[in-house]
Amino acid sequence: MSSSFDSARVAVIGGGPAGLMAAEALVQQGVQVDVYDAMPSVGRKFLMAGKGGMNITHSEPLEPFLGRYGARREQIAPLVRAFDPDALRAWVHGLGVETFVGSSGRVFPTDMKAAPMLRAWLHRLREAGVRFHMRHKWIGWDTEAGDAAAHTLHFATPDCEQTVTFDAVVFAVGGASWPRLGSDAAWVPLMASRDVPVTPLLPANCGFDADWSPYLREHFAGQPVKPVAMALTDVDNKVHNRQGEILLTETGLEGSLIYALSAVIRERILADGDVTVTLDLAPGLPLERVVAEVTRPRGSRSMSSHLHGRIGIGGVKLALLHEILSKEAFTDADGLAHAIKALPVRLTRARPIAEAISTAGGIPFEALDEHLMIERLPGAFCAGEMLDWEAPTGGYLLTACFASGLAAGRGAAAYVGKLKGSDAAA
Ligand SMILES: Cc1cc2nc3c(=O)[nH]c(=O)nc-3n(C[C@H](O)[C@H](O)[C@H](O)COP(=O)(O)OP(=O)(O)OC[C@H]3O[C@@H](n4cnc5c(N)ncnc54)[C@H](O)[C@@H]3O)c2cc1C
């Protein structure tokens, strides 16, 4: 440990993947780290991510990988280059957890779970000297604290309120999705009270509402629509078209294909009030083939059994056709074939942010320096999902949380290093 850091003390607020990575970067530099979390235990969203088979990162080449951060590619790129997917995998292996690349290119821990990783990581952090303070919710700043105001923090605990002064602080308090796991966005007004800009938080990787009939809802909610392709035009008139899987829900549509295009759908709804996406229910068949099959004479067979027999359309796909087309349209074979290849579905609203997998919006990079320090609040850094970026599912979220946590932790270590260096010199 570096002796010049011996008396340096840094708080990390939030024990998700970003905060824990910041804590690790700090403690490795010999800084005393105190992790505070509002919940009774850390990493609850990380553990939840492990429930459905956690993808920790993605194996695609770095250039397309970085492209997944869309408008924020430029700001996320240096962070991810400093801790890229290979480095992240090596780091996971260092915790004693092996990884594998799935058929989709996503990288998973061998047992698909987050719990063994988190357990090993917390053990390593505790051994290194990181102190954990659970049920300590950061509730504000001590604005009377003069130069240290940016890192004199108030906490609410089950017994009392505490005020503690640190040499620096890393905020990693998450977004606003799944608030019951801890990230409830209560930090937004606290940052705003110090004139730190916060881009409004919006749902990302979320479902959308459609006006389903009671019949469709009752009989088909919960059923996957696959394979299916979806096309829509974004606010800049660029057409997006992807194939995948959709889940029909009580209120509308969700699932990996919807998540992948959720930013485009959300922006169109914000701009226009609603958006009509087109579904291709037979993505493996060209239009001509679908027209040829559907318009073949069907004798006494019903149109439904004709569709099933000729092109395998039945179940929830058939129900969607019935839902959206009129009775007359359903009997016009040529029109029906075209609808199978381009069924318009109107989406009216994003599902509430509490149900979303992740959050768009947050503290914009323009308010930060290259070490993720808030320029208005020297000594206050931030990382993870509370920053203004978004990415699809597939490991890109965790990768950027880890990488930004590492950058903020290293930035805070360098900051207190300079502070203590100048103290020593004085
Ligand atoms: C169901 C689900 C599945 C997911 N699956 C994947 C996946 O497979 N791959 C992937 O890459 N990503 C996945 N994600 C996303 C990923 O889990 C998040 O992006 C990531 O956890 C965000 O990390 P974070 O450290 O920024 O914030 P969080 O993990 O949200 O941690 C923030 C921490 O801050 C604490 N906190 C908040 N406010 C305060 C306060 N005022 N005072 C003290 N503590 C506070 C919270 O209690 C929490 O512990 C999934 C998310 C969900 C919901």
Side-chain angles (χ1 to χ4, degrees):
M1 285 197 186
S2 152
S3 59
S4 67
F5 285 4
D6 278 353
S7 55
R9 192 173 168 208
V10 175
V12 173
I13 314 300
L20 295 178
M21 190 54 96
E24 183 154 270
L26 280 154
V27 81
Q28 279 170 354
Q29 297 296 320
V31 176
Q32 174 56 57
V33 186
D34 289 273
V35 174
Y36 291 84
D37 201 293
M39 300 298 281
S41 59
V42 295
R44 293 190 166 208
K45 193 176 281 185
F46 186 63
L47 289 173
M48 178 56 74
K51 290 236 160 106
M54 180 172 66
N55 42 124
I56 196 97
T57 189
H58 201 285
S59 63
E60 69 184 344
L62 198 54
E63 275 312 304
F65 187 104
L66 294 173
R68 307 291 175 181
Y69 298 98
R72 288 307 193 179
R73 181 193 185 288
E74 197 186 319
Q75 287 89 2
I76 296 287
L79 307 175
V80 170
R81 284 189 199 284
F83 193 56
D84 67 17
D86 288 340
L88 174 51
R89 281 184 81 179
W91 175 85
V92 175
H93 300 161
L95 288 170
V97 173
E98 288 309 308
T99 56
F100 73 97
V101 180
S103 54
S104 59
R106 295 173 179 214
V107 177
F108 299 89
T110 308
D111 62 1
M112 310 285 276
K113 295 196 173 77
M117 242 177 90
L118 184 63
R119 236 184 344 261
W121 194 12
L122 291 177
H123 179 72
R124 190 163 84 183
L125 291 171
R126 283 202 181 93
E127 290 279 292
V130 175
R131 299 190 294 219
F132 288 88
H133 308 266
M134 296 300 97
R135 296 191 171 93
H136 279 63
K137 181 163 188 158
W138 170 57
I139 51 167
W141 322 78
D142 185 356
T143 45
E144 312 282 291
D147 284 352
H151 16 100
T152 298
L153 308 174
H154 295 313
F155 295 95
T157 77
D159 311 318
C160 60
E161 275 189 30
Q162 293 177 6
T163 303
V164 193
T165 298
F166 303 91
D167 295 303
V169 56
V170 176
F171 292 100
V173 281
S177 77
W178 290 59
R180 66 179 186 275
L181 302 177
S183 47
D184 61 2
W187 57 268
V188 172
L190 302 180
M191 287 290 173
S193 74
R194 302 300 303 274
D195 294 329
V196 177
V198 182
T199 308
L201 305 188
L202 293 171
N205 292 302
C206 57
F208 291 88
D209 289 347
D211 290 329
W212 297 147
S213 65
Y215 178 83
L216 191 75
R217 211 176 291 150
E218 205 175 304
H219 293 88
F220 292 93
Q223 296 208 15
V225 186
K226 64 175 181 179
V228 65
M230 184 168 78
L232 82 156
T233 311
D234 69 17
V235 285
D236 298 318
N237 268 329
K238 185 174 161 220
V239 177
H240 298 255
N241 197 340
R242 287 175 80 123
Q243 188 171 327
E245 189 171 327
I246 288 175
L247 189 71
L248 195 140
T249 65
E250 291 254 330
T251 55
L253 297 176
E254 63 175 54
S256 54
L257 181 56
I258 297 287
Y259 298 160
L261 291 169
S262 65
V264 179
I265 300 172
R266 187 191 66 223
E267 295 308 312
R268 278 288 311 274
I269 293 177
L270 279 177
D272 303 332
D274 63 8
V275 62
T276 298
V277 300
T278 48
L279 300 185
D280 178 351
L281 300 177
L285 300 175
L287 175 64
E288 306 69 49
R289 168 89 190 280
V290 174
V291 171
E293 296 293 346
V294 177
T295 55
R296 263 174 209 258
R298 60 183 163 96
S300 59
R301 281 213 296 190
S302 70
M303 183 58 95
S304 299
S305 67
H306 181 62
L307 288 184
H308 197 251
R310 303 279 1 148
I311 53 170
I313 296 264
V316 63
K317 287 186 176 177
L318 188 65
L320 269 171
L321 288 166
H322 276 297
E323 173 81 5
I324 286 161
L325 303 179
S326 65
K327 274 206 173 100
E328 299 70 50
F330 203 79
T331 53
D332 161 18
D334 187 66
L336 180 58
H338 281 82
I340 287 167
K341 291 295 288 175
L343 186 68
V345 177
R346 193 170 77 97
L347 301 175
T348 53
R349 260 180 318 275
R351 294 298 303 157
I353 197 165
E355 295 175 18
I357 298 232
S358 63
T359 302
I363 298 187
F365 287 88
E366 289 72 15
L368 309 173
D369 73 7
E370 73 272 29
H371 304 294
L372 307 184
M373 185 172 84
I374 302 171
E375 282 180 340
R376 300 190 60 82
L377 302 175
F381 296 74
C382 42
E385 223 179 283
M386 69 182 296
L387 299 177
D388 180 12
W389 58 275
E390 65 180 305
T393 54
Y396 307 102
L397 297 166
L398 282 173
T399 303
C401 288
F402 285 125
S404 59
L406 183 64
R410 284 180 176 163
Y415 177 87
V416 295
K418 270 194 213 134
L419 218 61
K420 295 294 161 182
S422 54
D423 281 358

